[in-house]
Amino acid sequence: MKELSLHILDIVQNSVKAGASEIEIDINEDILKNLLEIDITDNGCGMSEEFLKTVKDPFSTTRTTRKVGMGISLFEAAAVQCGGYLEIESEQGNGTSLKVFFEYDNIDRAPLGNMAETMITVIMGAPDINYVYKHRKAGKEFVFVADDIKNALGGVPIDSPEILNWVKEYISEGLENAGINM
Amino acid sequence: MKSLAELQQLRDKISKQVDLRKDRENGIRIVVGMATCGIAAGARPVMNAFLNEVSKRGLSDVTVTQTGCIGMCRLEPIVEVFMPGEEKVTYVHMNEEKVARIVAEHIINKQPVAEYTVGAVQE
């Protein structure tokens, strides 16, 4: 994948399939420590200990249609190729947390890419979930909470095309104002 | 700067439109494959391009949704168009340029773009 935001889009779908009602995406660009950290945490069904042991293996999947599942392995490869790593913690019934670390200035680190597009794509895929997106860089922070938008909308669905386009611009502008350029 | 007040204005505008949900139920569905294979091949910009076109043209009877992997990963990004009373049309190797043409010719003028379909590619 060309952008880390595409991996995020892919991994969030695992949380959706795990039946999560809240998914938090936390991005921290710590330039002083030369570290980029991406955390994705959900309150879905979690994994058994046995499945957790094999989950990074591309031939490990919960799918029944075929025997491969590449999402987590690809994200891990994107981290490892630039001196980083991927950790997963999960408890059955209590959700899953995935943390991925990257060397910030490594030449092989893929760019973060378009987070606004990733956010509206996940909202569209499962609009009932409360997505919380926090992005920190150089002491500044941008926070997006999908339920705040839904409350402001009253009954109008958040996945109406006009609303999604508005949300995309809202996130892009918010990131820009926090000095986070995509 | 975008504010929640502005969002509320947009909400009021949309809720005045004719019965949104009824429109959607009887309308056209555009389904984009959004599994790992689709995402890696470029499905996200394709889906966003459809959203843009639908929103720009105010097509209230068109829904854009997502699905998983349908088993033809080498042909991703894949988009399926469902029109009431018509057979499903499957477009393959999609990109943003193809989106504009499909919306104009197929969604609006009801003429599928044959050269972009799975049938044309697999011959």
Side-chain angles (χ1 to χ4, degrees), chain A residues 1 3 5-7 9-10 13 63 66 70-71 74 113-115 117-118 120-122 124-125 148-149 151-157 159-166 168-170 173-174 177, chain B residues 1-4 6-8 10-15 17 20-21 24 34-37 39-40 44-45 47-49 51-56 58-59 62 64-67 69-71 73 96:
Chain A
M1 306 226 187
E3 301 176 2
S5 62
L6 292 174
H7 287 285
L9 167 59
D10 193 21
Q13 292 183 356
R63 281 202 290 207
R66 62 191 76 85
M70 308 286 286
L74 287 173
N114 194 330
M115 275 307 293
E117 267 198 14
T118 280
I120 66 158
T121 307
V122 298
M124 230 189 94
D148 291 350
I149 303 289
N151 288 338
L153 282 172
V156 172
D159 58 342
S160 320
E162 291 95 335
I163 301 293
L164 286 173
N165 272 327
W166 185 90
K168 180 159 75 176
E169 284 169 34
Y170 175 74
E173 276 186 18
N177 290 340
Chain B
M1 178 59 199
K2 296 256 170 293
S3 64
L4 290 182
E6 190 190 292
L7 179 65
Q8 277 157 350
L10 186 61
R11 172 197 72 188
D12 295 341
K13 194 189 118 202
I14 290 177
S15 57
Q17 288 168 2
L20 205 67
R21 196 162 295 143
R24 283 176 155 202
M34 196 62 71
T36 308
C37 50
I39 295 168
R44 192 188 67 186
M47 200 217 69
N48 275 267
L51 265 187
N52 255 331
E53 287 286 330
V54 167
S55 151
K56 203 169 66 191
L59 307 172
V62 177
V64 184
T65 57
Q66 297 165 21
T67 187
C69 169
I70 59 169
C73 308
E96 287 162 273

Side-chain angles (χ1 to χ4, degrees), chain A residues 17-77:
Chain A
K17 284 193 198 95
S21 61
E22 185 162 314
I23 302 172
E24 183 167 327
I25 300 159
D26 229 304
I27 301 178
N28 189 9
E29 301 187 46
D30 194 333
I31 297 163
L32 290 177
K33 286 189 187 153
N34 194 27
L35 185 76
L36 170 66
E37 179 179 347
I38 300 173
D39 298 349
I40 300 168
T41 309
D42 71 53
N43 63 354
C45 65
M47 289 175 259
S48 67
E49 259 178 69
E50 290 108 69
F51 192 76
L52 187 59
K53 279 180 199 151
T54 62
V55 75
K56 292 180 182 175
D57 181 337
F59 295 101
S60 172
T61 181
T62 57
R63 281 202 290 207
T64 49
T65 45
R66 62 191 76 85
K67 289 181 178 152
V68 285
M70 308 286 286
I72 292 171
S73 344
L74 287 173
F75 205 0
E76 183 174 42

Side-chain angles (χ1 to χ4, degrees), chain B residues 26-47:
Chain B
N26 305 321
I28 300 164
R29 272 196 311 134
I30 300 172
V31 182
V32 183
M34 196 62 71
T36 308
C37 50
I39 295 168
R44 192 188 67 186
V46 167
M47 200 217 69

